């Protein structure tokens, strides 16, 4: 037993913790307490259940030196990595857990056996629980159940449950600091050789990182303070935690400084040689690629204005600007407490605030090959003064002259160009979460206990998507008139609609003016909110009698639950209309809510105990009926058995059935076009479809055979 005011210091993985702890009571060695194990509301002896439960203790949390909940969980084999600090392209700014690879929307997250509200629906596709709300400093243990627990907690626990059990009855003061860095040797010879092979094709795109780097500094500071009430009937604990993480770029690691791919045959029947190489985006090189709809010419621009035949090595290396670790600022504040109002009645509560600000960064945006407004292409007028520049064959010759369009026609073509002048795309995400729990629990008699609690959780999100390119404004800026490039203005019909238009010269490398860049650049904004209200009442106890071959009585749990989920997403015009080239489609506003009322029950029947052939044989069952105002009535149930022939051997199995009702995004998100990863049967030099079949999709005879995949 530790005496009061004992000082304990622990050093671990760059962490220092100083704790002032108070005395804890000692228990007799033969005293066995019934506890609640995640996956059931029935108290039982020991920490085993029909469904498999893995436990991470507070000591393991400290030994791992982790500063985030998702990193702690990702070390478990049953956890598939979801959203986290290492996700940049497509990041939601949250941290999620995905049990058994069934999807994070099918994994339920609890704190002390009670729901944790979802985070935002921005970039998520579903209201997913954000683990960034979890204070590492307050974790006593984590229980992970992968056998399904829908009959106990609800149908969104199909994949399983992660239950964070927080420290209780903390008395004293604890402060801690943890510091970590990524110290890395870039000694992957194969990766470095692949980058070296591309260092001059094109120059400056593929660069080997330094052989030794130190980056990604992460600092976490926390404090916990707790005290018992003067009458020793209650306890209150306060906590605060701050975490700051610095970024790690893909350019700093040899294994990620370029995107590696395997060579594939260019034509059907060609041999597959398996050659690996650094892949770039050959559809959007920095100097610009075009493919004429009228002539089929595929070429790139140059600084002088001369057209140059496109080579397979004309590519943009999109890997270096991406984050391997996002920068992050996180503040957590909270309080937990309980007070014994009477011998059989306890009041408890939890309050928490979480604020997380992070940046996701990916490669420069631009005008993407195959994107745009006219058959996947863009349009320019043939009297555009930027076309007719160059000592020899120029953009006018390739796009208008060869097609016989003269100076009065308009040319339609596919265009790909990264706007490297604007810098990388940055997704600025900030989540703020509030959660409050209040409840009563106690005993009715020696056999029956009750628990009634209400939870309300709110999460708000603000997103600003920077350094994008407007499809609408880029299309206007490509229509220019004037006697020379120096005097060029946007076409009169464009200026009549948008007097602020600035003409865009993409027909020469390095010729985009800052004014034109400012004009075509765009920023997208989203705001969202999720609200969860949850009220649960449960009654647990035993029936007072046992089976003839057992001593332990039949135990049961009964209860009812009400839950309301709300979500709102408000997008600006850029997102709503799909005007951002690098997003790949429109993101629509959303609002919706649903209510569900549920009743549930469990039973545990010890059939045989302490027999020669069965130390324990137990049957369990559970049932939940749910009434959704949107999806109607669903039924969830489970049954299982445990058999221990001796103390050291146990066999267990269960069957569980659940129907997950659709979430708010699935119910209320409007249909919108997005990115597509299929194959166009009318594309390529030898299309899979005939000219007649392709004509039904709008392909002309002149276009047939010249459409790129």
């Amino acid at each position: 037993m530790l005496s009061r005011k004992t000082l304990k210091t622990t050093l671990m993985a760059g962490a220092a913790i100083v704790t002032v702890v108070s005395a804890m009571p000692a228990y007799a060695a033969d005293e066995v307490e019934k506890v609640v194990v995640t996956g059931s509301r029935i108290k039982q002896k020991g920490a085993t259940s029909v469904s498999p439960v893995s436990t991470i203790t507070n000591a393991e949390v400290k030994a791992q030196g982790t500063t985030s909940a998702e990193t702690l969980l990702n070390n478990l084999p049953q956890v598939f990595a979801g959203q986290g600090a290492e996700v940049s392209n497509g990041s939601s700014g949250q941290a999620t857990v995905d049990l058994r690879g069934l999807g994070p929307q099918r994994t339920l997250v609890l704190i002390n056996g009670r729901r944790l509200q979802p985070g935002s629906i921005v970039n998520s596709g579903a209201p997913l629980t954000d683990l960034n709300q979890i204070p590492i400093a307050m974790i006593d243990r984590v229980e992970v159940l992968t056998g399904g627990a829908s009959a106990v907690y609800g149908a969104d626990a199909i994949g399983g449950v992660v239950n964070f059990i927080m420290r209780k009855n903390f008395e004293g003061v604890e402060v801690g600091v943890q510091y970590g860095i990524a110290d890395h040797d870039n000694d992957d010879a194969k990766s470095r050789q692949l980058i070296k092979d591309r260092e001059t094709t094109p120059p400056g795109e593929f660069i080997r990182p330094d052989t030794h780097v130190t980056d990604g500094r992460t600092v976490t500071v926390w404090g916990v303070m707790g005290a018992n009430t003067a009458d020793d009937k209650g306890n209150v604990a306060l906590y605060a935690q701050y975490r700051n993480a610095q970024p790690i770029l893909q350019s700093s690691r040899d294994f990620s400084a370029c995107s590696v791919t395997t060579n594939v045959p260019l034509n059907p029947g060609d041999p597959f040689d398996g050659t690996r190489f650094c892949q770039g985006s050959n559809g959007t090189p920095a100097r610009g690629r075009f493919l004429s709809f009228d002539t089929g010419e595929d070429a790139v621009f140059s600084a002088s204005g001369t057209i140059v035949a496109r080579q397979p090595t004309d590519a943009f290396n999109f890997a270096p600007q991406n984050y391997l670790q996002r920068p992050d600022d996180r503040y957590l504040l909270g309080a937990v407490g309980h007070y014994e109002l009477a011998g059989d009645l306890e009041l408890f509560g939890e309050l928490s605030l979480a604020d997380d600000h992070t940046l996701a960064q990916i490669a420069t945006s631009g005008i993407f090959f195959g994107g745009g407004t006219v058959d996947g292409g863009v349009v320019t007028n043939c009297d555009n003064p930027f076309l007719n520049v160059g000592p020899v064959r120029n953009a006018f010759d390739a796009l208008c002259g060869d097609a016989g369009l003269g100076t009065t026609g308009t040319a339609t073509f596919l265009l790909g160009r990264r706007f490297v002048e604007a810098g990388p795309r940055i997704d600025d995400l900030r989540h703020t979460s509030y959660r409050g729990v209040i409840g009563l629990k106690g005993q009715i008699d020696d056999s029956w206990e009750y628990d009634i609690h209400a939870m309300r959780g709110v999460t708000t999100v603000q997103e600003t998507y920077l350094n994008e390119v407007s499809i609408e404004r880029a299309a206007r800026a490509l229509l220019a008139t004037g006697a020379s490039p120096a005097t060029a203005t946007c076409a009169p019909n464009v200026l009549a609609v948008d007097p602020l238009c600035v003409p865009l010269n993409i027909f020469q490398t390095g010729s985009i003016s800052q004014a034109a860049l400012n004009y075509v650049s765009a920023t997208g904004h989203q705001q969202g909110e999720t609200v969860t209200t949850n009220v649960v009442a449960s009654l647990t106890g035993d029936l007072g009698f046992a089976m003839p071959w057992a001593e332990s009585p039949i135990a049961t749990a009964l209860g009812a639950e009400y839950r309301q989920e709300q979500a709102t997403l408000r997008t600006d015009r850029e997102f709503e209309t799909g005007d951002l080239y690098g997003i790949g489609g429109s993101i629509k506003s959303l609002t919706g809510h649903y209510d569900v009322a549920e009743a549930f029950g469990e039973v545990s029947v010890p059939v045989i105990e302490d027999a020669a052939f069965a130390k324990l044989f137990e049957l369990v069952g559970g049932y939940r009926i749910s009434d959704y105002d949107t999806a109607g009535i669903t039924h969830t149930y489970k049954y299982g058995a445990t058999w221990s022939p001796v103390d050291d051997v146990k066999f267990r199995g269960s069957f569980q059935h659940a129907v997950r009702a659709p979430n708010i995004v699935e119910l209320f998100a409007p249909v919108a076009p997005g990115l597509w990863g299929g194959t166009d049967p009318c594309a390529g030099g030898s299309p899979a479809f005939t000219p007649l079949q392709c004509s039904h999709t709008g392909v002309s005879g002149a276009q047939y055979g010249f459409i790129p995949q």
Side-chain angles (χ1 to χ4, degrees):
M1 181 182 296
L2 292 170
S3 63
R4 293 184 182 273
K5 298 184 179 179
T6 299
L7 183 66
K8 178 177 66 176
T9 303
T10 306
L11 297 177
M12 57 176 195
I17 305 171
V18 180
T19 312
V20 181
V21 295
S22 59
M24 297 296 293
Y27 294 95
D30 58 351
E31 183 177 344
V32 178
E33 181 185 7
K34 287 187 175 183
V35 297
V36 174
V37 179
T38 300
S40 174
R41 298 181 189 272
I42 299 174
K43 286 191 173 183
Q44 52 196 303
K45 295 179 181 179
T48 61
S49 66
V50 170
S51 297
V53 177
S54 300
T55 302
I56 305 173
T57 65
N58 178 268
E60 292 175 281
V61 174
K62 292 180 178 179
Q64 290 187 31
T66 182
T67 60
S68 61
E70 78 273 15
T71 304
L72 177 68
L73 294 173
N74 285 345
N75 292 327
L76 297 175
Q78 60 267 49
V79 175
F80 284 66
Q83 286 275 350
E86 75 288 346
V87 177
S88 190
N89 195 346
S91 172
S92 66
Q94 303 178 101
T96 61
V97 57
D98 179 3
L99 291 178
R100 298 192 293 172
L102 296 177
Q105 71 272 30
R106 297 175 181 87
T107 298
L108 182 63
V109 179
L110 308 173
I111 294 180
N112 296 327
R114 307 173 191 107
R115 280 180 177 266
L116 178 62
Q117 82 271 17
S120 77
I121 58 176
V122 170
N123 301 337
S124 299
L128 307 177
T129 304
D130 185 5
L131 300 183
N132 289 332
Q133 304 174 58
I134 303 295
I136 293 291
M138 284 295 291
I139 294 177
D140 179 66
R141 67 185 186 277
V142 185
E143 295 180 351
V144 181
L145 181 143
T146 56
S150 296
V152 180
Y153 301 112
D156 46 354
I158 287 176
V161 174
V162 178
N163 190 6
F164 291 90
I165 310 298
M166 298 302 173
R167 299 159 79 173
K168 188 178 180 181
N169 293 322
F170 183 88
E171 189 177 8
V173 177
E174 176 182 288
V175 293
V177 179
Q178 183 160 306
Y179 178 93
I181 58 172
D183 187 80
H184 180 74
D185 289 319
N186 282 309
D187 54 5
D188 187 335
K190 291 183 178 180
S191 294
R192 297 185 73 81
Q193 185 61 47
L194 292 176
I195 300 171
K196 183 179 179 181
D197 292 341
R198 290 296 303 272
E199 281 182 328
T200 60
T201 53
E205 285 294 334
F206 298 88
I207 301 174
R208 283 174 292 173
D210 294 338
T211 56
H212 182 85
V213 290
T214 301
D215 52 14
R217 182 211 24 97
T218 302
V219 176
T220 303
V221 182
W222 72 87
V224 182
M225 178 176 64
N228 288 332
T229 59
D231 55 6
D232 284 332
K233 291 185 177 182
N235 178 273
V236 176
L238 308 176
Y239 66 85
Q241 181 175 308
Y242 170 71
R243 178 180 184 269
N244 175 266
Q246 296 299 306
I248 299 176
L249 285 166
Q250 285 189 207
S251 60
S252 66
R253 302 293 189 268
D254 50 20
F255 59 79
S256 60
C258 77
S259 179
V260 179
T261 190
T262 302
N263 195 22
V264 296
L266 294 177
N267 301 299
D270 287 352
F272 179 81
D273 58 17
T275 302
R276 304 180 73 220
F277 62 94
C278 280
Q279 179 192 31
S281 174
N282 58 18
T284 53
R287 59 177 178 170
R289 173 190 175 187
F290 73 89
L291 188 146
S292 172
F293 277 20
D294 298 297
T295 66
E297 181 168 2
D298 190 355
V300 295
F301 304 110
S302 70
S304 66
T306 300
I307 296 302
V308 180
R310 188 183 70 85
Q311 302 298 321
T313 54
D314 282 313
F316 172 78
N317 186 11
F318 52 83
Q321 294 175 323
N322 290 260
Y323 284 140
L324 286 174
Q325 175 179 291
R326 299 193 317 270
D328 181 74
D329 261 310
R330 185 180 307 160
Y331 296 87
L332 302 176
L333 298 171
V336 295
H338 61 90
Y339 186 78
E340 185 181 307
L341 299 175
D344 55 359
L345 178 62
E346 180 180 276
L347 173 70
F348 60 88
E350 302 171 11
L351 289 173
S352 63
L353 163 67
D355 184 83
D356 184 80
H357 183 204
T358 187
L359 301 178
Q361 178 175 295
I362 60 174
T364 299
S365 188
I367 297 177
F368 287 90
F369 205 69
T373 57
V374 181
D375 296 330
V378 296
V379 174
T380 190
N381 51 302
C382 289
D383 60 347
N384 188 325
F386 297 129
L387 288 177
N388 204 6
V389 177
V392 290
R393 181 174 169 77
N394 56 30
F396 174 82
D397 299 323
L399 295 175
C400 297
D402 292 352
L405 298 175
T407 59
T408 59
T410 56
T412 303
F413 58 102
L414 292 177
L415 173 64
R417 189 196 191 280
R418 295 278 182 164
F419 282 43
V420 293
E421 300 87 348
R425 283 169 282 175
I426 297 174
D427 195 1
D428 188 319
L429 293 152
R430 182 170 185 173
H431 292 83
T432 305
S433 300
Y434 310 87
R435 180 176 181 268
V437 176
I438 188 167
L440 294 168
K441 64 180 180 179
Q443 289 185 300
I444 298 175
D445 55 28
D446 292 340
S447 299
W448 292 92
E449 299 178 8
Y450 63 89
D451 185 306
I452 303 172
H453 72 266
M455 185 279 291
R456 185 172 176 86
V458 179
T459 298
T460 62
V461 61
Q462 296 181 359
E463 179 191 38
T464 302
Y465 204 84
L466 302 164
N467 295 342
E468 259 297 350
V469 177
S470 165
I471 296 174
E472 182 180 60
R473 293 198 291 274
R476 292 173 180 171
L478 288 173
L479 300 173
T481 60
S484 68
T487 60
T489 63
C490 291
N493 61 321
V494 172
L495 290 174
V497 177
D498 185 358
L500 299 178
C501 178
V502 178
L504 179 67
N505 182 8
I506 52 85
F507 306 104
Q508 291 174 265
T509 304
S511 296
I512 296 179
S513 68
Q514 186 61 49
L517 185 65
N518 293 341
Y519 173 70
V520 300
S521 295
T523 299
H525 298 277
Q526 294 188 76
Q527 292 182 334
E529 181 181 74
T530 58
V531 182
T532 298
T533 303
N534 190 210
V535 180
V536 183
S538 62
L539 183 66
T540 62
D542 62 69
L543 300 181
F545 61 89
M547 299 295 288
W549 306 281
E551 294 183 0
S552 300
I554 298 172
T556 188
L558 302 170
E561 180 172 354
Y562 169 80
R563 180 163 50 96
Q564 183 186 73
E565 300 281 1
Q566 305 174 61
T568 302
L569 178 64
R570 296 174 293 275
T571 61
D572 69 354
R573 181 182 180 276
E574 301 291 346
F575 278 121
E576 193 80 22
T577 61
D579 187 46
L580 305 178
Y581 257 113
I583 296 299
S586 60
I587 299 176
K588 305 292 186 181
S589 297
L590 176 153
T591 183
H593 76 276
Y594 68 83
D595 301 73
V596 55
E598 302 177 288
F600 56 84
E602 288 182 81
V603 64
S604 172
V605 183
V607 180
I608 304 173
E609 290 181 308
D610 296 322
F613 58 90
K615 188 69 177 177
L616 173 67
F617 179 67
E618 182 181 36
L619 300 176
V620 298
Y623 174 76
R624 174 181 288 254
I625 183 170
S626 306
D627 186 3
Y628 294 85
D629 67 344
T630 54
I633 296 176
T634 63
H635 304 274
T636 303
Y637 55 86
K638 69 172 184 177
Y639 52 84
T642 299
W643 174 43
S644 294
V646 294
D647 284 334
D648 297 330
V649 178
K650 176 174 286 187
F651 301 92
R652 58 188 178 185
S654 65
F655 176 88
Q656 306 203 27
H657 168 89
V659 177
R660 183 181 67 84
N663 59 50
I664 288 179
V665 174
E666 293 162 338
L667 284 168
F668 300 106
V671 176
L675 291 173
W676 180 61
T679 300
D680 183 357
C682 293
S686 301
F689 278 12
T690 66
L692 178 61
Q693 289 175 308
C694 291
S695 70
H696 296 317
T697 71
V699 176
S700 68
Q703 293 172 334
Y704 185 80
F706 295 102
I707 299 175
Q709 278 288 2

